[in-house]
Amino acid sequence: MPRIAYVDGAYLPHAQAAVHIEDRGFQFADGVYEVIAVRGGRLIDEALHLARLARSLGELRIAPPLGEAALKIVLRETIRRNGVARGSLYVQVTRGTAPRDHAFPLVAEPTLVVTARRARPADPRLAEEGVAVVTIADIRWRRCDIKSVSLLPNVLGKQEARETGAFEAWQVDAAGRVTEGTSSNAWIVTADGAVVTHPADHAILNGVTRLALIDLIRREGCQLDERAFTVADAKAAREAFLTSTTADVLPVVRIDGSPVGNGHPGLLTQKLRAAYLAHVAAGDA
Ligand code: PDD
């Protein structure tokens, strides 16, 4: 089945889908995006993703390209036309096309691009054995709560992880606190069993997986502390893990080469991963 992309009202063959060279997303990274998991042809946690998209747009004063009902139709149609049962959907909205000028254009229609991609299940060894992370300086701006396409520090950080054989890079602020990964949220489990993750302030993206997991943690009756933790806290933790739409819940077993706990995926992490996968299997709860 040939890939089809939606661009501003038209469904086009993927290879021919394009935006204008003066699109502000291209020139200024003046846009936002969402990545939504597709399972059984259905969007997982769609409402949370659409709420975050609306929030990101609102914070940047970009007009929504479509009303919510119309947008939902486009998302479903893109999944259908690409025959995606399992994979992900990518949605990007930019401020639109206008002659290059940093300030907002007086007239510009937002650009909407939607693509869907099939994905095989992740290598089961990632969850069975856990993954390594490296720590890097968090050099990003102070509005990481906005899911902006301006991802250069994240790109450089992920590349550093790749080159050092790690799965992810955990970003560390000037005070030595872990904010989040380059495309995932960061978590630890302390010696007394509390689950800790950075609060959803301007320093991190409030992950949809993070939100869904917080709900499950509360339902499981586990202790949750939304507070910043340091690299030293993480290295001394009993367990560590990361979350994202594409990685689900993955155990972190090494930080900068030091083992976390006994160096194997933690029991609570495994329990939370199972709870999260059950939530995904149940569809858009
Ligand atoms: N990234 N933090 C950052 C910086 C992210 O880019 C992401 C997601 C997350 C996790 O958010 P969620 O649980 O909603 O996926 C946290 C997506 C997957 C990406 O850029 O591909």
Side-chain angles (χ1 to χ4, degrees):
M1 186 179 265
R3 285 190 74 193
I4 301 292
Y6 174 94
V7 185
D8 285 336
Y11 293 93
L12 303 165
H14 198 268
Q16 282 144 41
V19 295
H20 196 276
I21 55 168
E22 284 195 306
D23 189 279
R24 291 178 62 92
F26 179 61
Q27 293 193 324
F28 295 112
D30 189 358
V32 302
Y33 75 108
E34 283 294 326
V35 179
I36 313 177
V38 179
R39 297 288 182 273
R42 287 190 303 171
L43 290 161
I44 303 303
D45 287 322
E46 181 184 23
L48 291 174
H49 282 283
L50 293 187
R52 186 172 66 186
L53 178 64
R55 180 179 183 279
S56 294
L57 290 170
E59 292 299 306
L60 298 181
R61 292 193 277 150
I62 296 175
L66 292 175
E68 187 170 303
L71 179 61
K72 283 178 159 182
I73 290 169
V74 169
L75 303 188
R76 279 158 185 68
E77 186 59 14
T78 306
I79 292 172
R80 194 189 68 75
R81 289 191 188 226
N82 287 279
V84 175
R86 186 187 200 290
S88 61
L89 189 81
Y90 178 80
V91 184
Q92 181 172 337
V93 182
T94 76
R95 200 180 303 277
T97 297
R100 188 176 183 279
D101 178 19
H102 286 68
F104 298 173
L106 289 178
V107 240
E109 290 290 314
T111 301
L112 171 62
V113 170
V114 183
T115 57
R117 186 155 85 176
R118 288 182 214 176
R120 275 188 251 281
D123 182 344
R125 280 177 301 182
L126 294 176
E128 283 159 22
E129 294 168 14
V131 299
V133 301
V134 287
T135 59
I136 58 168
D138 193 337
I139 59 169
R140 299 174 301 163
W141 73 329
R142 286 184 228 158
R143 289 307 307 272
C144 297
D145 56 308
I146 300 169
K147 198 161 172 60
S148 151
V149 293
S150 174
L151 288 170
L152 205 39
N154 311 56
V155 166
L156 296 176
K158 188 73 92 188
Q159 183 60 20
E160 196 167 326
R162 251 332 110 83
E163 288 173 5
T164 52
F167 182 85
E168 176 62 298
W170 276 6
Q171 303 174 96
V172 181
D173 70 13
R177 296 171 302 215
V178 175
T179 51
E180 62 179 335
T182 64
S183 63
S184 58
N185 289 113
W187 308 67
I188 58 170
V189 180
T190 61
D192 55 6
V195 183
V196 183
T197 196
H198 199 288
D201 55 18
H202 288 181
I204 69 157
L205 182 77
N206 193 1
V208 164
T209 321
R210 177 188 183 280
L211 286 170
L213 196 67
I214 284 175
D215 198 36
L216 295 167
I217 289 167
R218 294 209 168 108
R219 281 199 234 167
E220 297 274 343
C222 301
Q223 190 192 327
L224 172 75
D225 292 341
E226 287 185 72
R227 63 167 172 86
F229 58 85
T230 64
V231 176
D233 293 336
K235 288 184 178 167
R238 195 161 83 188
E239 304 180 21
F241 59 95
L242 57 83
T243 58
S244 82
T245 295
T246 44
D248 301 323
V249 177
L250 271 190
V252 169
V253 294
R254 271 192 314 287
I255 300 173
D256 292 335
S258 315
V260 178
N262 63 7
H264 296 285
L267 288 177
L268 186 53
T269 301
Q270 292 178 47
K271 184 173 162 185
L272 294 176
R273 176 178 163 80
Y276 181 72
L277 294 182
H279 160 78
V280 169
D284 189 2

